[in-house]
Amino acid sequence: MNKSIYNNYEHQMAYHCAPTIKGIKCGSMVAFTVDSDNSFRNFLESHAKCFQCHGLAYLQLSRQRNHTLMFFYRPQLLTRLLRRPLAIDILKSFDYPVEKRIDEATLPALLEHLKNRIANCEGFPHEIGIFLGYPPADVQAFIDNKGQNFLYSGFWKVYTNEAAQKHLFQCYNDCINAMCDRLRAGESLLEVMGAA
């Protein structure tokens, strides 16, 4: 396997997933360029045990020719956030199979529905923000305002609690910068995660 491609996957993960890897965000998406020599599959297989040991799961959301869209998430944290009443209302409005109780056993059905929504929607389904840990009030306001009239834009478009979200965005950026710096200094993602 081409080591530079392998390192590129690690850097992409650090850049897009550091807050999720560190456990301060429930989920992150990354669009990886996938070559024909199975290097991406090998990358996932070589990291799978470490991901699992650190409570990180992953799912391929879509695949197109040379690209795969991956969702890395923390099942416990994600299920807890999906249980919020407004999150449930939003998911129900898009026909998600929301049970009386959302738990890790019902999570796969929700994620499968999300995959189907991605495959069948023009662009991204707006409720994806719920799975990425965005506040449900911001997701609902984004839908209601068609992406306009926001207070601030960072990791998502903010409609509520601007000061708190700016602080959270700074935490995310600090986490990303710290992890990327360690990889640039020569550590591997496995080493960085092992020290987490």
Side-chain angles (χ1 to χ4, degrees), residues 75-149:
Q76 284 186 328
L77 180 55
L78 179 57
T79 53
R80 191 168 71 234
L81 296 178
L82 290 176
R83 289 182 193 138
R84 295 172 291 184
L86 183 53
I88 290 171
D89 289 345
I90 293 168
L91 294 178
K92 283 181 177 178
S93 74
F94 292 103
D95 299 322
Y96 280 78
V98 178
E99 305 292 333
K100 289 183 180 179
R101 174 143 175 89
I102 294 175
D103 58 25
E104 288 186 52
T106 61
L107 187 57
L110 298 175
L111 292 173
E112 189 60 32
H113 192 80
L114 176 62
K115 282 178 68 170
N116 290 334
R117 292 268 301 147
I118 289 171
N120 296 309
C121 279
E122 286 187 31
F124 273 106
H126 298 316
E127 76 278 6
I128 200 164
I130 299 290
F131 293 89
L132 298 171
Y134 304 175
D138 283 349
V139 174
Q140 187 63 60
F142 180 90
I143 293 168
D144 294 344
N145 288 277
K146 297 180 172 47
Q148 302 299 311
N149 307 317

Side-chain angles (χ1 to χ4, degrees), residues 2 9 11 20 37 39 72 121 136 147 191:
N2 184 328
Y9 294 146
H11 284 270
T20 300
D37 69 357
S39 61
F72 293 89
C121 279
E191 290 170 325

Side-chain angles (χ1 to χ4, degrees), residues 119-196:
N120 296 309
C121 279
E122 286 187 31
F124 273 106
H126 298 316
E127 76 278 6
I128 200 164
I130 299 290
F131 293 89
L132 298 171
Y134 304 175
D138 283 349
V139 174
Q140 187 63 60
F142 180 90
I143 293 168
D144 294 344
N145 288 277
K146 297 180 172 47
Q148 302 299 311
N149 307 317
F150 50 90
L151 301 172
Y152 181 77
S153 183
F155 284 84
W156 62 84
K157 289 184 177 178
V158 174
Y159 292 85
T160 61
N161 301 317
E162 181 180 3
Q165 303 313 339
K166 283 183 175 179
H167 175 72
L168 183 59
F169 293 169
Q170 187 58 54
C171 291
Y172 288 173
N173 280 320
D174 291 346
C175 183
I176 291 164
N177 291 335
M179 190 172 289
C180 288
D181 285 348
R182 290 178 66 181
L183 290 179
R184 279 192 291 270
E187 290 184 74
S188 71
L189 185 62
L190 293 175
E191 290 170 325
V192 170
M193 290 184 71

